[in-house]
Amino acid sequence: MKLLYNKRQQGNTLILTLVMSLTIGTVLASYLGLIGSRYKVIKRSQSWNTGIPVLEAGIEEALTHFQDDLNNPAANGWTPGTVSGQQVYSKQRTFADGSYFSVNIYNGGFGASNTPYVYSTAFVPAPLSSSGYISRTAKVAGTNQPLIAFAIAAVSTIQWNGNGVAADSFNSSNPALSTNGQYDPAKTSTNGNVASVYGPVDFGNHSISGSLYLGPSATYTVPSSQVSGSINTDFNVSFPDVVLPTTSWLPATTTVIGGITVLGITTGGTTTYDFTTSGDYYLSGSSPIQVEPGITVRVRVDATTFNPSSIHIVSSNGISGTLLLYQVAGSASMSGTATVDSGKARNFYYFGLPGVTNITYGGNSSFVGVVYAPEANLTLNGGGNNNGLIGASITKSIDAMNGHYNFHFDEDLLSSGPSRAYVVTSWKEL
């Protein structure tokens, strides 16, 4: 009986051991299964997250293509095709880890819509699979922003003195907002917008017929009563430095305009850079500049002190000359007249390269044209009540010290002027 009892006790112990082992094994197997599942989820999450930079790489490639090859949309490996009856341009790029993007551009060809959109799909290798992929797709809409979009803009300080309206707008190409292309105070609009990235901004006692755009850190002392539109504090735009065009520059020559010529000898008159042939030229002096009707010239100014007594863009029978002036370094003083017969700011651009640090205007008449010099300080001196800058100005800072300068933005520049670049206006994952 004693031996039989010990066998029964040993059997119970064995059964208990087996049950405990089974329980521990089940728990361990469940735990290992949980670890495995979590590992798969983490790996899939990592692959899923990797899809965003991959599809954004496709978007960046498409945006770069807009900038560099707008007139040649099939360049650099982009393949034309048709999707649902629409012309598209497609490209695929594979990365070292096996992921790749496939991107399609709609409305991206020459003469197409100015608001293209992009479908970019990322394909990322699926975890624990030799052939599967995880995909993510985003649709991005863009637009080609104009570079010249303000009556006046500055990277930093805007300081005005005086009284009265300081900024409004007109349109030299619209008879309802101009008279024969000229600014007409009886035909103005409310796009005399002003912008500053960092501030401070002080309008004095002036007001603007438009909106004020400020960067998030910009300071200002402008009450809303001095702004007809809105005051926005989320302005996020950079003004790129001017890059000198790559071309073969020819020396500009002077001629005498006016005066009296007797027996081949001219007396009197004014020695002038008179451009009668379109092309690219350079000059190192500050003689007056004149551009004849129908002539388009780009002029590189090598003088470090540029002070022409006059700049005249001649127009005849509705045909105007066009001057694009690039100053390399130094300072500019436009104390004379800058006359654009057509009244269109598009016919005269002054571009200051990064080496240009100061621009002064102190004439007794209005300046017609565009000043773009994001590294230069613009100072306005002297003048009477009717002085103004007709067109647009973008500089590092502006200080209207004296006189009563008004700024009349030419809305024609929104369509005729240079573009900033294609920028994204909406981003949506599908």
Side-chain angles (χ1 to χ4, degrees):
M1 295 296 292
K2 185 176 181 180
L3 293 174
L4 182 62
Y5 174 79
N6 288 339
K7 289 181 179 179
R8 184 181 298 117
Q9 187 179 40
Q10 290 175 356
N12 291 337
T13 302
L14 179 60
I15 292 173
L16 179 61
T17 301
L18 290 174
V19 171
M20 291 181 64
S21 298
L22 180 61
T23 302
I24 293 172
T26 302
V27 172
L28 181 60
S30 299
Y31 181 75
L32 292 176
L34 176 63
I35 294 297
S37 297
R38 287 178 63 85
Y39 175 76
K40 292 179 181 178
V41 169
I42 291 172
K43 293 295 291 183
R44 181 174 177 82
S45 177
Q46 289 175 338
S47 298
W48 178 256
N49 292 336
T50 301
I52 290 298
V54 173
L55 70 83
E56 286 186 340
I59 294 169
E60 289 293 333
E61 183 127 1
L63 292 175
T64 301
H65 190 55
F66 291 151
Q67 316 307 333
D68 297 342
D69 300 300
L70 181 62
N71 295 330
N72 187 15
N76 295 319
W78 288 85
T79 303
T82 302
V83 175
S84 299
Q86 295 189 61
Q87 173 73 63
V88 300
Y89 293 88
S90 305
K91 191 171 186 178
Q92 181 175 308
R93 186 181 295 278
T94 302
F95 300 100
D97 64 352
S99 62
Y100 68 94
F101 65 72
S102 178
V103 59
N104 293 321
I105 296 175
Y106 293 76
N107 295 336
F110 177 71
S113 170
N114 199 39
T115 55
Y117 56 98
V118 175
Y119 284 94
S120 180
T121 301
F123 295 90
V124 179
L128 308 177
S129 173
S130 60
S131 59
Y133 285 88
I134 294 174
S135 65
R136 299 184 76 170
T137 301
K139 176 185 177 181
V140 170
T143 187
N144 195 4
Q145 284 188 339
L147 177 63
I148 312 298
F150 304 95
I152 187 165
V155 177
S156 57
T157 304
I158 297 177
Q159 174 66 57
W160 291 341
N161 295 325
N163 298 283
V165 175
D168 59 12
S169 66
F170 79 113
N171 191 327
S172 60
S173 294
N174 185 347
L177 291 174
S178 63
T179 299
N180 297 323
Q182 308 291 324
Y183 171 77
D184 186 337
K187 299 179 180 180
T188 61
S189 188
T190 57
N191 287 318
N193 300 325
V194 176
S196 173
V197 180
Y198 301 113
V201 176
D202 184 356
F203 286 178
N205 293 320
H206 285 300
S207 61
I208 64 171
S209 186
S211 294
L212 175 61
Y213 294 86
L214 302 164
S217 63
T219 60
Y220 65 102
T221 55
V222 180
S224 59
S225 60
Q226 292 179 239
V227 179
S228 72
S230 59
I231 297 178
N232 307 279
T233 57
D234 58 351
F235 183 60
N236 184 24
V237 169
S238 63
F239 298 110
D241 286 338
V242 177
V243 177
L244 190 67
T246 301
T247 186
S248 297
W249 302 92
L250 301 174
T253 58
T254 59
T255 187
V256 177
I257 294 180
I260 300 174
T261 301
V262 179
L263 299 177
I265 300 175
T266 301
T267 57
T270 303
T271 300
T272 303
Y273 291 107
D274 185 21
F275 294 98
T276 59
T277 303
S278 298
D280 301 322
Y281 302 89
Y282 69 88
L283 55 86
S284 57
S286 290
S287 295
I289 295 174
Q290 181 165 294
V291 181
E292 301 298 336
I295 303 301
T296 297
V297 291
R298 296 189 297 187
V299 176
R300 189 189 78 205
V301 177
D302 294 334
T304 55
T305 301
F306 183 57
N307 184 21
S309 60
S310 68
I311 296 175
H312 186 193
I313 315 300
V314 184
S315 179
S316 178
N317 297 322
I319 299 175
S320 176
T322 299
L323 171 63
L324 286 77
L325 201 63
Y326 294 84
Q327 186 173 353
V328 176
S331 61
S333 179
M334 300 181 189
S335 57
T337 58
T339 304
V340 179
D341 290 349
S342 67
K344 297 179 179 292
R346 66 161 74 181
N347 294 136
F348 176 38
Y349 280 84
Y350 170 88
F351 292 110
L353 271 70
V356 177
T357 56
N358 289 286
I359 301 171
T360 302
Y361 183 78
N364 292 316
S365 60
S366 293
F367 175 95
V368 179
V370 176
V371 174
Y372 184 86
E375 300 292 343
N377 301 308
L378 174 63
T379 302
L380 303 176
N381 288 320
N385 293 329
N386 295 322
N387 280 26
L389 192 153
I390 300 174
S393 171
I394 297 177
T395 56
K396 181 178 180 180
S397 66
I398 179 167
D399 194 351
M401 298 288 290
N402 301 299
H404 298 274
Y405 286 93
N406 291 318
F407 300 88
H408 311 298
F409 177 57
D410 189 351
E411 297 176 19
D412 170 71
L413 296 168
L414 295 172
S415 58
S416 69
S419 64
R420 174 183 303 284
Y422 279 94
V423 296
V424 172
T425 56
S426 69
W427 195 103
K428 180 181 180 181
E429 186 170 4
L430 303 179

